[in-house]
Every structure is written in C-alpha cells, then in structure tokens.
Amino acid sequence: MPALMHKPVTTMIAVALLGLLALVPIAAEAFDDPFMLTLFTRIVIMAIAAVSLNLILGYGGMVSFGHAAYIGIGGYTVGILAHHGVHAAWIQWPLALLMSGLTALLIGLLSLRTKGIFFIMITLALAQLVYYLGNGAYAYGGDDGLTILKRSDFGGLIDLNHRPTLYYLCWAVLVAALYLCYRTVNSRFGMVLQGAKSNDRRMATIGFPVFRYRLTAFVIAGMVCGLAGVLSAAFTDFISPAMMHWSRSGDLIVMVVLGGMGSLFGPLFGTVAFLLLEEILSSWTEYWKIVFGPILVLVVIFARGGIDGALMRGQANILMAGCAGFFLLYGVHSAYESDWLIPTAILAAAFALVWLAKWLADRRASAKEAGHV
Amino acid sequence: MTRSSFKTTLAILAATLAALPLAAAPAAAQAAKKIRIGFVTTLSGPNAAYGQDMKNAFELALDHMGRKMGGIPVEVVYEDDEQKPEVGKQKTEKLLQRDKVDFVAGYIWSNVLLASYKPAIENKTFLISANAGPSQLAGDQCSPYFFAASWQNDQNHMAVGELLNQKGAKKLYMVAPNYAAGQDATNGVKALFKGQVVGQDMTKWPDQLDFSAEISKIRAARPDAVYVFFPSRWGVQFYTQYNQAGLKKDIPLYSAFTVDAVTLKLQKDLALETYLTMTWGTDLPYAANQKFVGDFRKKHKDNPTFYGAQSYDAANLIASAVTATRGNLKDKDAVRKALEAAKFDSVRGPFKFGNNHFPIQNVYQQEVYKTADGEYDLRTVSTVLTAHQDPHAAKCKM
Amino acid sequence: MLLLLFEQFLNGLQIGLLLFLLAAGLTLVFGIMDLVNLAHGSLYMMGAYFAAVFTQWTGNFFLGALLALPAGALLGIIVEVVALRTLYTRDHLDQVLATFGLILFFNEFARVVFGAGGMAIELPSWLEGQVEIMPGLPYPSFRFLIIVVGLGCAGFLYLLVQKTRLGMLIRAGASNREMVGALGIDIKLLFTLVFGLGSALAALAGLMSGPITTVQIGMGDNILILALVVIVIGGIGSIRGAFIAAVAIGVIDTMGRAFLPNMLGSFLNPSDAGTLAQALSSMLIYILMAAVLVLRPAGLFPAPGR
Amino acid sequence: MTDLLTVEGIDTFYGRSQVLFGMSLSIRAGEVVTLMGRNGMGKTTTIRSIMGLTPASRGRIGFRDADIRGLPSYRVAKIGVGLVPEGRQIFPNLSVKENLIATAANRNGASQPWTYERVIELFPRLAERSGNMGNQLSGGEQQMLAVGRALMTNPHLLILDEATEGLAPLIRLEIWQCLERLKQAGQAILVVDKNVGALTKLADRHYVIEKGRVVWQGNSAELQAAPDIQHRYLGI
C-alpha cells in the first residue's frame, strides 16, 4: 500500500472527514437544518466527479478540460429516459454509465494523441460540442433544461426520494470511487499510468501500450464522472446544458488542484473546501469573489501541491493559520448576527487554532535545527 | 508565522473578543412572528444590475407597506443565483429548508426558475416569479403553487407581431439568440404577424459578441422591418452594431426585452425611433405606478426597469394574500385563493390571473425619447394588445 | 452575391483581427514565459474599462485609448510582480488555479469600481458612420479601423520580434531562459516587459472591441476561450500562427453563420436545415480545432525549441 | 590580490543532496586554468555555482574585488564572466547572426571589442551559415557559435564547459587553436575538459577534483610528471 503508507496524516484526516460526512444526515436532523443535507449532497456528488478527474489528471497527467461533459451525459441519459417514461434504475443507470463511457472512449480516441495544453484544448473543444448539443436539443428543453418529474425507481429497494437514503447512496459511491481509484493507482495498470505521466516514451519502449492504458483510464474516469451526473440528476431533478459548460469543467480542475492532484484524497479536500468556502463566503457578501479569488492565489503561492501537499509536507501550521483566519472572519461576521455564545465559541476556536499553528511551527523549526546541526 | 505577526494576531483576537458583547447585543432581542420571504435573483456577474434593481424595487414596496404585511413584520432573505441553474436551485432549497420562508420570489432567468421550480412546489411553498415566464409553466407543467407576477414569455413578442401588422410591415427579418427564449420569441412574433418572414438568424448563445454576419445578411435581404430579441448586454451590442452598419435609418427595428432602463444608459440615441413592446412603462397613469416610479427615482436617482416594476408587484401580490388570510399562511388553499384574486393595485393597472396563474394584461408599444435634461427614457405610445392571455393557458389543467 | 461574399469576408477578417490582438499577447506570454495566463481575459476587460473611463474623462476616444494602453500595461506589470512571478517554474495547473482566482477577483473588482451596468465607449461621430469601400458596399468605419489597427499591430509585432534585439531576446528567452540569463540579460525584467507588452495588447483588444460589444463585467471570460483556441491552432508562441489561426477562425465562423443555412437548405428541408445550421455554426470553431489537433498535435506552426 | 576569480570553500546543494564540499580555486588575469575530474564529481556544478545558476549556500566567490556569491546569473555575466555551457545551448530559433548579436556587449571595456565581423574572422565556417537557424548547424559549428556568443559579451573571464565533447578530432583541433589564440591575446579562460594532452599544452595550471573538492593542483609540468594522479582521478 505505498500510496497510503507514507502520508498517514492525510489518511487520518481524510478518514475523519469521510466519517464526519457520514454523520451529516444525523446532524441535519439534530440541528433541524435540512439544508445542511442538501448542501452536503451536492458536495459529495461533486467530490465523486473530482475524484474521477484526479484519476486521469493527477495520476495520468491528462488534464481534461471537458470533464463536466460526462456529468451532463450521465444526467441527460437519465433525464431523457425519464422524459420518455422509463424510470427503472436498472435500465437508466447502466445505460448512463455506458453512454458516458462511450463518450469518453470517443473523446479519448481523438484527444489522447496530443499532449500538454493541446490535450487541454482538444478535450475542451469536444466537450463544447456536447454542450452545444444539449443547448440545441429543443425536444429536451434546450438551454432551459429538463425537469425530471420522477426519480429513478429501484423497485422499492432504494427510495431515492428519501433524502438521507439518497445522501448515503452518494456517500457510498464516493467511498467506492475512492477505493476504485486507490486500487487502480496501486495496481500494475496504475503504475504504468503514473510512469507514463513522467516519461511516456520510456514506458512505450519498455513495451507497454501506453495509449491503450491511458484510454482505459480515461474511460473509467468518464464512467465514474457519468455516475456523478446520474446522482446529480437524481438529486436536483433537473438537467440543463449549464452543467456541462466549460466553466464547470474549470471548477472541477480547480477543486482537484486546490486539494492536491495526484493524491488519493486531494480532490475530496479540494471539493469540500471549494464548495464550503463558496457557500459561506457568498452568504456574507455578494462580493464574495473578491475574497475568494485572492484566497486561491495565496493557496497556490504558499501551499504547494494544494491542501494535501501542505498536509504532507507538514505545513499544517499554514493550514491552521488559514483556518484560524477564516474562523476569525467568521466570528466577527456572526457577531453582528447572532447572540454572544456562538461568535465567542467560534473565536475561541480560532484562538485555539492560532495557538496550535504556532506550536506546530515551533516544533517544526526545532526539528529542523536538530536535523541540520 | 513569525513571532511578531503572531503577536499581532493575538492582539486582534483579544480586541475582537472584547468587542463581541457590544456587537452581539442588538441582535438578541427578536420578535416572535414574522412573514419570511426568500428572494432569488442575480446579484453578481454581468447581469447583477437587474438583480439589484429587483431588490431595490422589492425593498421599496416593503417601505411603502411600513415593512409589514397585514400588520405582521416582514423579513426578506436575498440570495444570488449567479445566473446558474444549479446555484439558483441550491439557494432556493436553502431558503426553503434553512430559512423556512413562507414565499419564494424573484427569478430573472427561465433556466434558473425551471431548476428551482420542483423543490418549491414539492415543499408546497408559493413561488412567485417576478420575471421569468417560460411556456412549460404556463402550459402542462402549471402548478397551484406557482404564480407569475410578470408575463408569459410569448406575450411581448406576440405584441410585436401585432404591432408589425399595424405598421403595415410585409417583409420581416428576425434575429434572436439560439436558445429556448429565443425560439419562443420568434415563434411568438410569427403567431400574430401576417406578412412574410424573409429571413431568420439564430445566433450562438451565449458567447456570440459580434453580429456583423447577420447584419450584412439583413442588408442584402432588404426587408421592411427587422425584429430582434436580445436581452441585456446583447441588446446593447446589437443596437450599436446595427447603427454602425448604417441600417437604423433605412430599416425600422422592432424588439421586445431589448431596451430597458439599464441598457438605455448605454444605448442612448441608438434606441431612438425603434419599436418596442412591454407590459409596463414608467409613464402608465395609474396611482400605484406614479407612487412607485416617483419614490424609486427619489430614492435611487434612477429609473426602475420592468424587472423592478414586476418585483414591486410581486411584493404587493404577496402582501395582498397575507392580508386576506390575516397572516394564517398554514391554510394553503386560502392563500392560493387570495393570490388568485390578485387584489392589489398593480403598477400595470388592470391585472388579473388566468387559470394558469399567469397574468391577463395589456401590452403596450413603447418608444425611447430624450428628456428635457438630456437623459433617455421610455414612454408608452399605444396599447397593442388589450387584456391579453397567453396561448399556453389552454394546456394547463387547473 | 459576390458583394455579399466579400462583405462577409471583411466581417470575418475584422473579427479575426480582433481575436488576433487578444491572442497575440496570450501566445507571447505563454510561449515565452511558459505561463498559462487565464487572467489575460481580465486584462482585456480592464483595458476596455480604462478606455471607457479615460474616454469619458478626456472626451476623446483616441486620447482615452492612448491613456488606456499604458494603464493596461502597468496593471499587467503589477499583476506579474505581485502574483505571477513566483509561478513561472510551477506546474501549468498551479498557474491555471492562480489565474482563475485572478479572474474572479477582477470581475468583482470591476463591479465594485465601475458598477454593474457596464459602460459604453463613445466614438467620435465620423467613426460611427460608414465608409464606402467599393461602390455599393458601405462598411462601418469603426470596423474598418479595427482591420487597420489589427493589420498594423501584426506588422509591428512582426518587426519587433523578427528585426529588433529585444525581439531576439524574446525568442531566445522562449527557447532557453537560463542561457539568456547566463549571458547577462535580466530575464526577470525581460519577462516583466513581455508581460507588460502582452497586457498592453490585451488592453488594445479590449478598447477596440469595447465600442462594438460594450464594456461589461466578464467580457473577457468567453473570448479568452476563443483566444486559447486561436493560439493552440496556431501553435503556442508563434505570432505568425496566431495571426493565421485568428483570421481563419474569424472568416470560417462568419462564413458559417452567413451561408450554412442556405447551403444546407439546398438539400434538406428548411426547418431541419435551420436547426442543423445553427447547431453546426455554434460548433464550427471547436470542430476546426479538434480537426487541426488530430492532424497536427502541436498546432499549425509549432515553435522550434519547445 | 591579483586574482580575477577566487572561489573559497563553497558548498552547493541540488535539493537535499550536497554536490560541492568546500570547493576552492582561483584564476589570475590572463591565465588559462583547467578543472578536471571524472563525470559527476562536480565540475559543472562548480561552474554553475560561479555563474549563480545553482547558487552555493556557503563559502565565498570573489570576482574582481566583488563578492558575487548569491548574485543572479545575469549580474555575474554583466560583471564580465562569459559562459560557453555544457551542451552548447545555442538558441535554436535564432539565426547564427542573431545568436551572436542578441546578447552582445562590451563588458571589459576593451578598446577593440569583439564584433560580429571579428568572430566571423575567428570562425570562417560560421560566415557561410550566418543566415541559418541555430538548430540547423552541426555540432562543431554550434560549438564555435557558442564560443563566439560568449566572446561577443567581451568577458574578463571565459568559461568553457566540456567544449570539445562529442566533436570530431579535426574540429577539436580547431577549437584548441582558437583557445590558443585567445590566450595569446590575454584572455583569462577556465576550461573544463577531459583531454589532458591538449590541456597540458594550453593551460597554465590545473585543478583536479573528486567528490566536490579539489584533490590536486599544479602546473602543466607537475601534472605531466604525476601519472598516478592522472590515473587515479582522471581514469587515464
């Protein structure tokens, strides 16, 4: 288990995060805040898509700028079938996976001969074709999108209308996707994939059919992302071309890079951080992007390798300081809205984090001293 | 983190902690019962000006009511949909689930409204559109919990078709963006226009910036009239380019939704002598309208847009239902009946709901003129359609 | 018909040249500094806003433009020094993430500073009219000016890059920046200058497109994708490639919009032809790029030494 | 202190691995000095450290009374160090002429500075290729171009890193002859090469390094008299 063993901090935090995510429906019930469940359902679904992107982007070096297309393909397959009265999940879901897999195969065949920015752009171009296809599909609402009147029917086995059930299904798919990614990456197949990322010519001369390996990974990622689309359709009861717009693909890349590409749990961290920040900042001010934009720049400059990179290199102090700053803002903000208890608690937490960050920094500094003398 | 920056952080923290009780004090006292309204519109990005206008008008309506409906205080939560369907849906769900609002209102864009529609309806919360009026919701997907305080998409376009007949246009060229509302627009015009459509271009949506190819084709086709539908900034772009091509003086331009108080600041002279239709105008002589427009101008030093006027009506529509039910919003049937009655003074004058909860209303021809102080404004020329009901109502089984 | 064909060609050329102005700066920065600058679109937007503000202030479009160019270059240099300089040696995706953050920032910034409603750039009246290029073919004066400026700019860039010592250093820096430094050239300064030049070009593109497309928040976002398409088709770092690709895209896109419906109408029924033509003309550029990349995976004019 | 270049006890790291361990050497004006040793012993790293391309983290590097350790490479070049790098590193997308004049300068204030014409005179072969792109030249032509390019900056000190590696014997000879002429003209040169035979004729003094430090130094006569040194450290 090489990919997991050498960074236990990340794994611990990720497992804790997954555990916390599993508690969301209970917390939503306890705090009587059903929106919490809604928010996290979306986060978990996006995390599935980000994990799938990371498989090809992080491990395979294939920067797909059209990954949102598969969300759309998955969603549209379900939506169109539902529109024609086919609600059985046993038909809808496999067909959606098949369609997104086929699309990925087609896109991969055309694009995998190119490299670098050219690969980025050709995947964008092909995804834009899919986007315009959705935009022009007036039979299915065009850009207005299509409302799905009835969710997929598992014949009474799983009730998707029951919100916690749907959430746990998404959560389970996320865990499964992570496991799949883990197994793939640590298999011989994954080794070749990663080897080809750093030097595809050498892998080819050793005798591995690099193109076929890459194509396979590309298709797997497309199918997993298509599944995210299926879940998204089930969750929002709505599909529209907007979910395939290039900016959505861009968001996915941002989530993966923010979290740390080429690390198993990076995309999970990235998605949670990205969407939570978006939700919280935008609830404070309409001008939230003026804060969010520079945060991204700072993350790139100071936390190399994203959140996961910072964790791995023991830059926990930077993360802590970041969280503390965030909590500080949050505390000051909520001081204007709610009574004294909550803001005080938040500020105390911020204080604790600052202290912890300092402690970590000191420990690191002293460890460095010791190591160098 | 260096030692000195750490100390600074500590100092800030300490100061904030000390200031907390002061800041928190006013929030502590909270009243018991409130009417809660969620308002979803676009408050960021290129079209934020419209969302802001809607918010301003909604706030003005609340001011006019003394921020009370039927004697009960009102609280409004505004949310930004970023013009993205899934964000709009999430914000709507937040309003329904966390803020537990009694009404949701707003919605500029059809696709945002359609994405947000089902959660609201399933939650049995009344959804009042202050702008978007897609045909699906007027027809087979109509709902007891949905009301459009604005119009049905086709109404303004059909009025253009009728206006073209009145002006004696025989050959028409149409340009609209290639998306659902653009299709509705061209079909709406064709529904009443009796002449011949000599050409029709559907432009790439949303990223086409330049209409030179279409304008050259218009020049070559030599029509009597040109009809365009380009909301917000696309309208400015088309008008600018049409004028730069020198066509404006030769071929009259007809449009709906393409000129409003926001775009007019940029279009200026370009919008003079063009033919427009709208269900509302700043100069409609009704008392409610005069009060709305007068106070809006006073407060914001600016003209309201039709988006704002519809939001003002939406606020009053909600107030009328709260008043009629004496604040008992649990009785959904009573609320619905009160909403259907639409007993409020609309800024549009005569206003009533059809069976599908879309308005039956007049559509006016409007034109741009230069005011005495050199500004630009819209004024009403004539009534093109009277007490008009949209054509989809028949498909609604309600 | 022939006249219309020619007019549509001019339209395409003009759109293409506008795209070239934007793409030239992008390909310069990308090719030489190996920096993926998504914020190029934001610099384009800010250039347009600068021009609008300065035009309003001075009352003259040309004075406004003259002020907007150095302002755009200066803004670019500030961005480079503050945020991007540390990212040259990083992974492309780090650059994507950071410059994505800059886009968000600039869009909100413009909204706070200039308001949400957008601005118009007032042209002198002689530019609002038309010039008669050929008998029976009046053409909008300002669009004609765009063609002139675009061609002039292409010529200027050709001379700068091919004939001056600065141009040699720029090309040398593109292929081997360490060696340029080891021969005594301050590569940081050179890069900052190049970035400033790229930003000035973005501002020029913005202020030339402002009067026809209006100045709006987010105006740089979609066109940036088109500019990326251009530089990828042309080959990264190649000004000549960017020029050819931009003009090709402009002409093909315009011709597609202008003539596809009729062409398809000759063998399909009108309503099918209409739908298909609209769908096709939206996709045309992307189909073109995909085709080019399938056939030539490094674009039409891959720069040597990369 | 008449030393042109003084390197005193520098340590240099690539990431975490240390390559130079207290490396020292010095060159006087007008002197030709060589740096010899097997592959991977730190010759190129020494040069990169002098140039500021891979900065040394400890020690002192002095050049004409200035401390240049830690300066960015362009500042080192500007003070008057001209580099002919390993692998030649000609700009492939510049023509021969452009390669020569792009970075030209008169850094040592010579009354008769190197010009394009003088370099062409030195390497007549380049004249016929002046319009060709850098990547269209043969290895030998590229090497001449690289030397010419460094000369065009009129350096106080010329550094050549593996200048004859992989070249045909005749071309090698031409390069050695050229260096001989430069020496006559009073040009200080630091040469990294493996060709002991040619170097003992050309150079005044030699440094032999192993594992990042100097293990032997002396003049040409001493080196020729010490076959064990040649055998042990240079593998001859």
Side-chain angles (χ1 to χ4, degrees):
Chain A
M1 318 201 320
L4 279 182
M5 287 304 277
H6 67 274
K7 38 184 171 173
V9 190
T10 311
T11 313
M12 261 162 50
I13 293 180
V15 169
L17 184 60
L18 282 173
L20 280 177
L21 284 176
L23 294 178
V24 164
I26 300 164
E29 187 71 27
F31 295 124
D32 189 25
D33 184 6
F35 176 67
M36 195 194 252
L37 190 55
T38 306
L39 177 66
F40 277 93
T41 312
R42 176 154 173 251
I43 290 177
V44 169
I45 291 174
M46 290 310 282
I48 298 168
V51 167
S52 76
L53 177 61
N54 185 44
L55 179 66
I56 51 173
L57 186 155
Y59 294 109
M62 297 172 260
V63 185
S64 167
F65 195 1
H67 212 60
Y70 310 116
I71 300 188
I73 299 278
Y76 264 89
T77 310
V78 170
I80 290 172
L81 285 174
H83 186 71
H84 293 298
V86 180
H87 297 290
W90 314 119
I91 301 175
Q92 282 183 347
W93 291 40
L95 204 60
L97 285 183
L98 186 71
M99 287 304 292
S100 39
L102 278 178
T103 314
L105 183 70
L106 214 67
I107 293 183
L109 276 175
L110 286 172
S111 58
L112 278 170
R113 290 175 203 286
T114 57
K115 285 202 198 92
I117 181 76
F118 300 99
F119 181 81
I120 299 182
M121 293 308 290
I122 196 168
T123 46
L124 165 78
L126 296 169
Q128 282 293 89
L129 299 186
V130 179
Y131 168 77
Y132 281 116
L133 221 57
N135 232 358
Y138 290 111
Y140 305 110
D143 81 305
D144 268 356
L146 188 64
T147 301
I148 298 171
L149 297 171
K150 192 167 173 295
R151 285 184 183 174
S152 306
D153 182 6
F154 276 92
L157 212 61
I158 306 173
D159 180 12
L160 292 185
N161 289 311
H162 185 242
R163 289 157 37 85
T165 307
L166 176 63
Y167 179 82
Y168 279 118
L169 180 65
C170 296
W171 185 85
V173 171
L174 173 64
V175 173
L178 282 169
Y179 183 70
L180 175 77
C181 186
Y182 167 68
R183 285 304 297 263
T184 311
V185 167
N186 290 304
S187 67
R188 205 180 72 114
F189 172 81
M191 297 298 171
V192 175
L193 202 62
Q194 291 168 77
K197 179 189 175 187
S198 45
N199 192 341
D200 56 348
R201 240 183 246 147
R202 183 184 303 163
M203 290 318 266
T205 39
I206 294 174
F208 289 108
V210 171
F211 182 83
R212 237 186 294 155
Y213 274 64
R214 283 194 167 143
L215 190 60
T216 311
F218 202 78
V219 171
I220 293 175
M223 287 172 77
V224 173
C225 192
L227 190 57
V230 171
L231 291 170
S232 169
F235 163 61
T236 57
D237 297 321
F238 181 77
I239 45 171
S240 89
M243 64 211 267
M244 307 188 266
H245 194 247
W246 63 264
S247 57
R248 312 273 81 188
S249 300
D251 287 349
L252 277 177
I253 294 182
V254 169
M255 287 171 198
V256 172
V257 179
L258 178 66
M261 48 185 168
S263 103
L264 185 61
F265 296 111
L268 176 64
F269 298 146
T271 313
V272 172
F274 185 95
L275 291 176
L276 269 188
L277 263 180
E278 176 180 284
E279 174 62 29
I280 294 169
L281 288 179
S282 69
S283 73
W284 295 354
T285 164
E286 334 166 344
Y287 299 105
W288 63 277
K289 284 178 186 159
I290 218 164
V291 183
F292 189 61
I295 287 180
L296 291 182
V297 179
L298 289 176
V299 166
V300 174
I301 292 179
F302 291 108
R304 294 181 81 155
I307 298 170
D308 183 74
L311 280 176
M312 227 174 89
R313 284 194 320 277
Q315 281 184 341
N317 51 331
I318 286 188
L319 288 181
M320 290 287 181
C323 291
F326 176 76
F327 272 120
L328 190 68
L329 280 173
Y330 189 41
V332 174
H333 171 78
S334 54
Y336 289 95
E337 293 208 330
S338 55
D339 52 19
W340 62 273
L341 186 66
I342 297 169
T344 312
I346 292 169
L347 285 171
F351 186 79
L353 278 172
V354 170
W355 183 81
L356 201 63
K358 170 161 165 40
W359 179 74
L360 279 168
D362 286 350
R363 208 182 60 151
R364 207 170 131 74
S366 62
K368 220 179 196 171
E369 277 307 87
H372 263 278
V373 171
Chain B
M1 190 185 282
T2 64
R3 192 158 288 272
S4 67
S5 72
F6 178 67
K7 274 189 182 155
T8 320
T9 320
L10 273 186
I12 295 171
L13 260 177
T16 337
L17 279 172
L20 264 181
L22 291 173
Q30 286 196 345
K33 192 174 178 194
K34 269 188 177 180
I35 304 289
R36 296 171 71 87
I37 301 172
F39 199 91
V40 179
T41 184
T42 303
L43 294 168
S44 65
N47 290 305
Y50 297 106
Q52 198 57 49
D53 192 68
M54 289 170 82
K55 185 176 170 181
N56 289 343
F58 205 82
E59 284 290 300
L60 184 66
L62 293 179
D63 287 347
H64 282 169
M65 305 168 199
R67 306 198 79 82
K68 280 183 180 170
M69 290 179 175
I72 309 167
V74 183
E75 189 188 309
V76 187
V77 184
Y78 294 94
E79 292 289 351
D80 175 16
D81 61 28
E82 299 172 41
Q83 209 179 327
K84 293 174 187 159
E86 75 276 18
V87 176
K89 179 194 178 264
Q90 186 177 327
K91 295 296 163 99
T92 306
E93 289 181 327
K94 173 181 170 281
L95 290 169
L96 298 172
Q97 295 166 3
R98 179 173 285 172
D99 300 315
K100 305 204 166 42
V101 295
D102 302 302
F103 297 90
V104 270
Y107 301 99
I108 298 183
W109 314 100
S110 293
N111 55 0
V112 178
L113 174 64
L114 287 167
S116 313
Y117 180 70
K118 203 178 162 198
I121 303 307
E122 282 184 347
N123 199 48
K124 296 192 167 39
T125 302
F126 288 99
L127 175 61
I128 318 286
S129 170
N131 192 63
S135 52
Q136 298 92 314
L137 303 191
D140 52 7
Q141 287 182 38
C142 65
S143 159
Y145 290 96
F146 176 78
F147 287 82
S150 47
W151 24 253
Q152 200 281 314
N153 259 352
D154 294 9
Q155 286 182 309
N156 286 290
H157 303 297
M158 290 172 76
V160 175
E162 177 58 29
L163 184 62
L164 284 161
N165 295 337
Q166 289 174 8
K167 300 288 175 193
K170 294 277 177 285
K171 294 197 303 187
L172 176 67
Y173 203 102
M174 301 206 284
V175 189
N178 188 22
Y179 75 126
Q183 297 282 341
D184 286 355
T186 50
N187 292 338
V189 174
K190 283 183 207 161
L192 293 185
F193 177 58
K194 295 199 182 75
Q196 182 203 357
V197 177
V198 294
Q200 176 176 341
D201 279 317
M202 305 301 283
T203 63
K204 189 161 32 166
W205 180 263
D207 50 357
Q208 184 166 334
L209 308 153
D210 192 294
F211 303 109
S212 57
E214 289 76 15
I215 289 171
S216 292
K217 281 167 85 178
I218 291 173
R219 190 206 309 278
R222 300 179 194 286
D224 301 335
V226 172
Y227 161 78
V228 295
F229 161 63
F230 283 111
S232 77
R233 63 170 149 162
W234 294 275
V236 183
Q237 289 166 5
F238 189 90
Y239 269 52
T240 310
Q241 296 174 19
Y242 194 70
N243 181 58
Q244 283 171 355
L247 284 183
K248 190 172 155 251
K249 55 188 186 299
D250 298 336
I251 310 170
L253 196 54
Y254 289 74
S255 64
F257 300 114
T258 307
V259 178
D260 59 54
V262 174
T263 63
L264 200 49
K265 288 200 190 64
L266 306 175
Q267 288 160 329
K268 298 186 177 171
D269 280 343
L270 308 177
L272 291 172
E273 288 153 35
T274 60
Y275 299 84
L276 313 164
T277 61
M278 198 59 236
T279 51
W280 167 86
T282 47
D283 60 343
L284 292 182
Y286 311 105
N289 195 40
Q290 292 310 313
K291 188 175 181 208
F292 163 62
V293 175
D295 287 353
F296 192 98
R297 282 178 179 157
K298 232 181 280 165
K299 191 170 166 191
H300 297 289
K301 310 275 173 288
D302 208 350
N303 278 322
T305 62
F306 62 85
Y307 301 88
Q310 291 150 195
S311 303
Y312 187 85
D313 270 359
N316 282 301
L317 173 65
I318 293 171
S320 74
V322 175
T323 311
T325 56
R326 295 200 185 80
N328 179 17
L329 301 175
K330 295 257 159 31
D331 185 352
K332 303 283 183 189
D333 289 333
V335 176
R336 182 178 313 109
K337 285 216 172 62
L339 286 170
E340 282 168 348
K343 277 206 185 335
F344 69 100
D345 293 324
S346 166
V347 295
R348 283 167 273 180
F351 182 101
K352 62 176 181 175
F353 280 118
N355 62 320
N356 57 353
H357 294 173
F358 276 70
I360 297 174
Q361 58 188 336
N362 297 345
V363 189
Y364 308 98
Q365 186 205 336
Q366 296 204 310
E367 67 177 15
V368 175
Y369 71 104
K370 215 168 174 167
T371 58
D373 48 357
E375 294 294 313
Y376 296 81
D377 199 359
L378 286 155
R379 68 181 164 209
T380 308
V381 181
S382 66
T383 308
V384 184
L385 297 174
T386 309
H388 179 255
Q389 184 171 25
D390 67 86
H392 306 282
K395 275 184 266 170
C396 170
K397 295 176 187 68
M398 197 162 67
Chain C
M1 184 62 203
L2 216 58
L3 208 60
L4 183 61
L5 197 69
F6 182 63
E7 187 180 347
Q8 296 292 23
F9 172 76
L10 277 185
N11 288 332
L13 180 68
Q14 172 258 315
I15 297 171
L17 287 170
L18 205 54
L19 261 179
F20 166 71
L21 289 180
L22 188 64
L26 196 62
T27 204
L28 215 53
V29 167
F30 197 158
I32 290 160
M33 289 131 86
D34 204 22
L35 173 77
V36 187
N37 179 23
L38 295 188
H40 198 70
S42 298
L43 295 167
Y44 163 87
M45 173 185 77
M46 293 304 285
Y49 269 110
F50 286 147
V53 170
F54 289 138
T55 303
Q56 225 166 48
W57 186 48
T58 60
N60 181 309
F61 171 68
F62 289 98
L63 277 180
L66 218 59
L67 288 173
L69 286 179
L74 188 68
L75 179 71
I77 287 174
I78 293 173
V79 168
E80 197 264 351
V81 171
V82 172
L84 300 181
R85 184 170 270 187
T86 51
L87 301 179
Y88 291 146
T89 50
R90 297 285 194 87
D91 191 282
H92 278 166
L93 283 178
D94 276 353
Q95 299 166 355
V96 165
L97 183 57
T99 50
F100 176 81
L102 287 176
I103 294 182
L104 298 183
F105 172 78
F106 274 114
N107 280 345
E108 278 320 278
F109 178 78
R111 189 173 141 221
V112 172
V113 175
F114 304 110
M119 294 178 83
I121 299 180
E122 302 265 343
L123 291 177
S125 57
W126 61 274
L127 272 181
E128 289 279 11
Q130 300 85 39
V131 284
E132 187 120 355
I133 316 184
M134 277 192 333
L137 178 58
Y139 198 71
S141 315
F142 189 73
R143 288 180 186 270
F144 193 68
L145 182 68
I146 293 177
I147 294 180
V148 172
V149 169
L151 289 175
C153 206
F156 166 77
L157 282 175
Y158 173 78
L159 289 179
L160 178 78
V161 172
Q162 295 300 330
K163 301 291 173 199
T164 67
R165 222 168 121 180
L166 180 64
M168 291 172 205
L169 291 178
I170 289 175
R171 278 179 289 144
S175 63
N176 190 340
R177 70 184 83 172
E178 187 181 83
M179 200 54 224
V180 176
L183 285 166
I185 305 301
D186 185 355
I187 201 85
K188 264 189 187 167
L189 182 69
L190 180 68
F191 279 8
T192 305
L193 283 180
V194 171
F195 199 89
L197 175 66
S199 310
L201 284 170
L204 181 62
L207 74 91
M208 289 311 283
S209 85
I212 52 173
T213 63
T214 76
V215 185
Q216 288 280 356
I217 293 154
M219 67 189 277
D221 300 355
N222 278 318
I223 201 168
L224 175 79
I225 294 291
L226 276 188
L228 279 171
V229 169
V230 166
I231 69 168
V232 161
I233 292 183
I236 304 288
S238 165
I239 300 267
R240 181 172 60 139
F243 182 79
I244 292 171
V247 171
I249 281 187
V251 171
I252 289 174
D253 183 48
T254 305
M255 292 297 179
R257 272 158 41 209
F259 300 110
L260 257 185
N262 290 346
M263 271 158 53
L264 291 174
S266 57
F267 53 87
L268 285 173
N269 75 51
S271 82
D272 283 355
T275 325
L276 191 62
Q278 287 144 21
L280 265 183
S281 63
S282 309
M283 299 178 185
L284 212 51
I285 292 174
Y286 297 104
I287 294 174
L288 180 72
M289 173 164 80
V292 167
L293 288 186
V294 166
L295 297 175
R296 293 183 67 109
L300 292 178
F301 298 95
R306 283 179 62 87
Chain D
M1 276 292 275
T2 49
D3 283 354
L4 189 60
L5 173 78
T6 323
V7 176
E8 284 171 14
I10 57 166
D11 290 353
T12 303
F13 295 79
Y14 276 115
R16 283 188 183 162
S17 58
Q18 189 167 358
V19 184
L20 298 186
F21 298 84
M23 176 73 199
S24 298
L25 61 87
S26 68
I27 300 169
R28 283 185 284 274
E31 209 180 17
V32 175
V33 172
T34 73
L35 195 56
M36 291 189 274
R38 290 189 225 222
N39 283 341
M41 289 302 163
K43 288 170 295 176
T44 296
T45 307
T46 306
I47 286 176
R48 290 182 64 88
S49 297
I50 294 169
M51 284 310 296
L53 293 168
T54 308
S57 30
R58 277 186 284 268
R60 179 178 173 275
I61 304 176
F63 189 81
R64 283 168 53 92
D65 304 330
D67 187 358
I68 61 167
R69 182 171 75 82
L71 290 187
S73 60
Y74 80 94
R75 294 273 302 276
V76 177
K78 274 196 167 158
I79 287 177
V81 184
L83 176 67
V84 180
E86 187 181 17
R88 306 182 267 277
Q89 311 208 21
I90 292 303
F91 302 120
N93 51 346
L94 266 61
S95 71
V96 167
K97 187 169 182 183
E98 287 173 337
N99 260 293
L100 289 173
I101 59 178
T103 53
N106 187 358
R107 298 218 168 103
N108 56 12
S111 53
Q112 268 196 317
W114 286 98
T115 58
Y116 173 65
E117 286 74 22
R118 282 190 62 201
V119 171
I120 290 295
E121 207 179 306
L122 187 66
F123 299 115
R125 250 169 212 273
L126 292 181
E128 52 209 82
R129 313 292 313 250
S130 70
N132 286 60
M133 285 296 164
N135 57 355
Q136 295 167 324
L137 303 184
S138 70
E141 287 164 340
Q142 287 195 7
Q143 190 62 56
M144 292 172 193
L145 184 55
V147 174
R149 183 177 64 180
L151 286 176
M152 288 286 282
T153 66
N154 289 288
H156 291 288
L157 172 68
L158 183 66
I159 300 182
L160 292 100
D161 193 355
E162 305 281 10
T164 57
E165 200 180 28
L167 296 184
L170 269 179
I171 309 274
R172 267 187 204 189
L173 199 64
E174 206 170 325
I175 303 270
W176 295 131
Q177 283 166 353
C178 153
L179 292 186
E180 189 63 45
R181 279 167 69 186
L182 292 175
K183 188 188 172 188
Q184 313 271 286
Q187 175 76 57
I189 308 175
L190 173 62
V191 193
V192 171
D193 213 299
K194 297 193 190 74
N195 203 328
V196 180
L199 288 173
T200 44
K201 272 178 238 143
L202 176 72
D204 303 309
R205 289 189 300 120
H206 308 272
Y207 289 90
V208 175
I209 67 172
E210 190 185 59
K211 291 186 184 154
R213 57 172 67 90
V214 173
V215 288
W216 186 91
Q217 55 175 308
N219 60 31
S220 288
E222 287 166 346
L223 181 63
Q224 275 166 331
D228 59 320
I229 293 291
Q230 295 191 22
H231 180 72
R232 186 161 11 135
Y233 298 113
L234 306 177
I236 299 163

